[in-house]
Amino acid sequence: MDEGLCQPVSLGLLRVDYFACDLRGTIAQVEANVIASGWSAMSQVTSDMHRYGLTVLGHLDKTDQIPANTSLEGIATGMIHAWDKYNVAGAVILFVVEDRTINICDQRFHEFQVYRQRPGIRVIRRSFAQLLSQASLGESRALIVDGHEVAVVYYRVGYSPDHYPSEREWQLRLLIERSRAIKSPSIQLHLAGTKKVQQELCRPGVLERYLRDQEVTLCRSLFVGLYSLDMDEDGDAAVEMALAAPHRYVLKPQREGGGNNIYGEEIAHTLARLRDSAERTAFILMELIEPHVQPNYLLRPGHGSPELVQAVGELGIFGYILGDGEQTYCNECCGFTLRSKPSSVQEGGIIAGFGAMDSPFLVYWDEDGSGAASSGDGDQRGNTQLS
Ligand SMILES: Nc1ncnc2c1ncn2[C@@H]1O[C@H](COP(=O)(O)OP(=O)(O)OP(=O)(O)O)[C@@H](O)[C@H]1O
Ligand SMILES: [Mg+2]
């Protein structure tokens, strides 16, 4: 801030997560991800696999009920728009990756997709450890890595404190931030994606500052209760509310990457301990969403054959947005992911082995909305619509 912002443009590669609350189509927003939003490549493959499964089982007529998904293409297109905006021939896209990659599908497929759409753009991958010795600022604060000028930085890491084991990694993040490269996300976008900001956006009157009336109504219909735990009257009231009925809430720290939330009785223990300490402001309180439950088969590592479980599905909608304080250059919704997990499991965790990649299967509903419908035989489609 002191030396001035030399790159006002940010690239958002987003995944906003929702639960379906009942079969009639009401959905509730879980959260918005603005950094390292995962699964855009695997979701496409999963839908292809499910379409293939239906086909070989003799249900070719139902394959169009699995909607088309272009999440991978879309995320790569977002990166290319940012590269075009930077507008320096020969500049590269830098993927900042883990030292030891556990989810290769969220980087190599994106790299291949960028080449497919724009063979002239080169992608390089570097870890924080490599960048410590290879990154520097050149003329006009261009980010130079290993002799390449970087147009766009795509962070696959950087969202968790343990990605910054020493002060040197924080200094590196600062160096990249000060550069002219377009970041996904920039620090301001990264902060806008925190749980705290999500909670603040729910306060009455806040969305109205950014959106038109009709959009405010639509967005609000997706929100469940989100409460600040600041050291004030509202925060005190939220603490009392959670202590009185901990099973109705989720306590969330300002973290990403899953596995950090606190549920049920543990909320009561944590808040009893933090009640009078400013440490409680490191959390927000969220109403527990009770998603629609349905039987589904999950194929998971270590579980032998597919298991029939009572499952819930979490729908992630992908989008990309390129803009600055003045202007939005592009803003597109580009696909989805569906992750299913046993309803008894509190967090999604595909990598942790609890959840599984899934595909939405759209069903037909009577036009008057009165009844459930079957999976859409041709003769029923006259009076019905996909939901
Ligand atoms: N209000 C809620 N009600 C029910 N379940 C929730 C709620 N909030 C979060 N969860 C569950 O916990 C998981 C993790 O929560 P959340 O997405 O907010 O954390 P995260 O650390 O940002 O995770 P991610 O790595 O998916 O971005 C969700 O995917 C969902 O399964
Ligand atoms: Mg998240």
Side-chain angles (χ1 to χ4, degrees), residues 15 17 19 29-31 33 195 198 224 250 252 255-261 263 286-291 314 339 341 345-349:
R15 194 195 72 223
D17 295 331
F19 274 129
Q29 182 179 301
V30 178
E31 62 139 5
N33 292 291
K195 310 267 185 294
Q198 186 188 352
V224 297
V250 184
K252 295 189 171 189
R255 292 285 304 273
E256 281 301 325
N260 302 300
N261 295 342
Y263 298 86
M286 184 172 184
E287 187 186 326
L288 186 75
I289 303 167
E290 294 195 35
E314 188 169 350
R339 292 166 298 159
K341 59 167 186 170
V345 172
Q346 269 153 336
E347 297 226 6

Side-chain angles (χ1 to χ4, degrees), residues 22-225:
D22 61 49
L23 260 183
R24 306 301 303 281
T26 10
I27 59 173
Q29 182 179 301
V30 178
E31 62 139 5
N33 292 291
V34 304
I35 183 165
S37 309
W39 306 114
S40 53
M42 291 311 286
S43 319
Q44 275 193 224
V45 180
T46 306
S47 294
D48 286 346
M49 185 194 72
H50 283 138
R51 267 185 224 105
Y52 168 75
L54 284 174
T55 308
V56 296
L57 291 169
H59 296 289
L60 181 63
D61 59 313
K62 299 188 178 69
T63 52
D64 66 348
Q65 286 170 258
I66 298 179
N69 192 2
T70 53
S71 46
L72 174 63
E73 280 89 338
I75 296 296
T77 302
M79 292 178 190
I80 293 170
H81 278 308
W83 188 89
D84 285 338
K85 182 81 194 148
Y86 190 83
N87 197 19
V88 171
V92 301
I93 300 181
L94 167 69
F95 287 13
V96 185
V97 301
E98 308 98 313
D99 290 328
R100 198 172 135 258
T101 299
I102 51 165
N103 185 0
I104 199 165
C105 307
D106 275 318
Q107 36 181 286
R108 292 314 298 269
F109 288 98
H110 297 68
E111 185 178 339
F112 301 148
Q113 187 57 228
V114 169
Y115 289 135
R116 193 163 294 148
Q117 291 183 30
R118 197 68 78 73
I121 301 178
R122 174 138 184 238
V123 171
I124 61 170
R125 276 173 288 120
R126 296 290 188 277
S127 64
F128 270 169
Q130 291 170 314
L131 289 170
L132 282 173
S133 60
Q134 295 179 10
S136 59
L137 291 187
E139 217 170 287
S140 313
R141 286 201 258 160
L143 177 63
I144 308 294
V145 172
D146 209 6
H148 306 283
E149 176 166 354
V150 176
V152 182
V153 179
Y154 167 54
Y155 284 104
R156 283 298 314 163
V157 286
Y159 54 83
S160 175
D162 46 288
H163 299 162
Y164 302 84
S166 74
E167 188 53 32
R168 295 170 71 213
E169 285 76 17
W170 289 110
Q171 288 302 324
L172 174 67
R173 176 80 193 261
L174 179 60
L175 179 128
I176 297 174
E177 215 48 58
R178 291 171 55 214
S179 80
R180 202 150 57 84
I182 297 176
K183 277 79 69 180
S184 181
S186 60
I187 194 68
Q188 60 269 33
L189 181 56
H190 192 170
L191 288 170
T194 55
K195 310 267 185 294
K196 181 67 189 169
V197 170
Q198 186 188 352
Q199 170 254 302
E200 286 296 318
L201 286 170
C202 277
R203 277 190 199 275
V206 177
L207 278 187
E208 284 78 355
R209 287 172 56 192
Y210 306 104
L211 301 174
R212 289 186 285 267
D213 288 355
Q214 211 185 357
E215 295 168 327
V216 170
T217 311
L218 275 171
C219 284
R220 259 192 215 300
S221 71
L222 303 171
F223 292 169
V224 297

Side-chain angles (χ1 to χ4, degrees), residues 325-366:
E326 306 296 321
Q327 233 181 312
T328 303
Y329 304 105
C330 54
N331 181 13
E332 296 290 335
C333 173
C334 61
F336 57 82
T337 182
L338 185 71
R339 292 166 298 159
S340 288
K341 59 167 186 170
S343 58
S344 54
V345 172
Q346 269 153 336
E347 297 226 6
I350 305 245
I351 298 264
F354 297 119
M357 304 298 300
D358 205 347
S359 300
F361 184 78
L362 303 182
V363 295
Y364 290 86
W365 288 89
D366 290 343

